[in-house]
Amino acid sequence: MDVLRMTNTIPHSFIRVLIACVCAAALPPLAMGDVQTRPFEFESSHGTMHDAQLLLPAEDDRNDFAILMLGGGSLTDMHWTIPGVAETANGPLQFTIDGEPTRDGETLARAFSDAGFIVMQWSGIHQDDERHKANPAMLTPIPYPDTVTLARDALNIMREQDEINTDNIILVGHSLGATRACQIMDDNIKGVVMISGAYIARIGVRPSDVSDAMLQRWAAVDSNNDAHIDPDEFAARNEHGSAPTTNASFDMLDFDGDDLLSGWELGAGEVLGSIVPVGPIPLPEQMEFREGARWAIDMLLEHRETPVFAIYGGADPIALHGPVVAEITRLVGRPDTSIEYAPELGHHLSIEQDDKVGPIDQDVVERIVTWLTATYATPADD
């Protein structure tokens, strides 16, 4: 099925969720300064051929760790490209604010390699995808479990590269790429970075539905009619007979620290209230997120000693997963789990305007690099 040809039947507000499925525009790689780029290709377990490359810092600048990049959506190219404008059955459709493509995977990979990490980028779109050849903004989707298998193939291929210390690999994934990162974890993975991780906790409903429902419930309190609840509106909630009640304080619900409550933050208050600890929480029964793929939270709990860093945009309903994962991991005593938020940013950790996205926010890039360099080894001294 042609992903972009589906957009004429989908509300425009949902297109941003599909953008990661069409991150496929073929553009030349960016220059990496002193970092060497070694391109190669690999064959997946399904027999498809995929492009890949290693970013290799100078020997004196390397630490002993390597990062595998995992793009979001159904499939992405190795740069996580979002086309600026793409041709669809209904004519041109603009995805980015300025009409120019974004390549957040490239931006992150450059920052990681500049910090001394070897980085493997790879394309989930195989070399013989006819739809992609006909239109670089289109691709042929594959079943979700096959995308997990493909991610595991990439990890196995990475471990075969001579430059890689197979005991020191970190997974960095965006959206469903973060989900897949959790699902391919094993005992030799040394860390996971989840950027807008989707389907991490078993919330049971779409975070966007939770957000919309909570804003409807709080509509009588929202005197500014701005789809947010400020401290004054929150304090005045008891004056409105139809307003919901909550035992949580405003500060407890303001997870992203922007002095406003979004729908997902209001929803998190209710979801967290349903998590009642009764002694130590055991590992959950093995359940499948989708056929052939376990829930991400199960894997995080199974590998409790692996450091995890997650970051969500405050304007992204999927951020609902953040407080839930934080509470569950707190209750089970999982160490080294850091969850942060970036106010006003959307699912791609960028500013969004009219359902169009910009490039990843540089402060977010720096926060991820800061966590990585603080958690893992720095280059050895001479």
Side-chain angles (χ1 to χ4, degrees), residues 218-358:
W218 285 77
V221 179
D222 185 11
S223 58
N224 294 324
N225 196 30
D226 60 358
H228 290 87
I229 303 300
D230 64 30
D232 292 337
E233 292 168 336
F234 187 84
R237 67 188 183 280
N238 293 330
E239 300 174 9
H240 301 270
S242 60
T245 59
T246 177
N247 293 325
S249 68
F250 184 93
D251 289 342
M252 288 175 59
L253 296 177
D254 187 17
F255 295 101
D256 65 1
D258 65 350
D259 215 30
L260 292 171
L261 300 184
S262 302
W264 69 266
E265 291 173 305
L266 295 167
E270 294 207 359
V271 173
L272 294 178
S274 67
I275 301 175
V276 181
V278 183
I281 296 181
L283 286 174
E285 296 180 7
Q286 180 166 334
M287 294 178 62
E288 293 182 334
F289 156 61
R290 297 183 186 176
E291 183 179 356
R294 292 181 61 186
W295 280 90
I297 188 64
D298 290 11
M299 301 301 291
L300 291 177
L301 296 182
E302 183 171 311
H303 299 278
R304 297 189 189 193
E305 302 304 318
T306 304
V308 169
F309 176 84
I311 187 164
Y312 288 93
D316 180 14
I318 286 178
L320 175 61
H321 286 277
V324 178
V325 171
E327 180 65 2
I328 292 173
T329 55
R330 183 189 70 82
L331 292 173
V332 301
R334 189 187 196 284
D336 295 326
T337 304
S338 301
I339 300 178
E340 298 184 7
Y341 304 90
E344 300 181 1
L345 302 184
H347 188 60
H348 290 268
L349 274 302
S350 71
I351 294 295
E352 295 185 359
Q353 296 177 6
D354 300 324
D355 293 318
K356 300 176 179 65
V357 304

Side-chain angles (χ1 to χ4, degrees), residues 40-54:
F40 63 100
E41 60 184 21
F42 68 90
E43 183 176 359
S44 76
S45 56
H46 295 106
T48 52
M49 296 300 299
H50 297 261
D51 295 322
Q53 65 182 25
L54 284 182

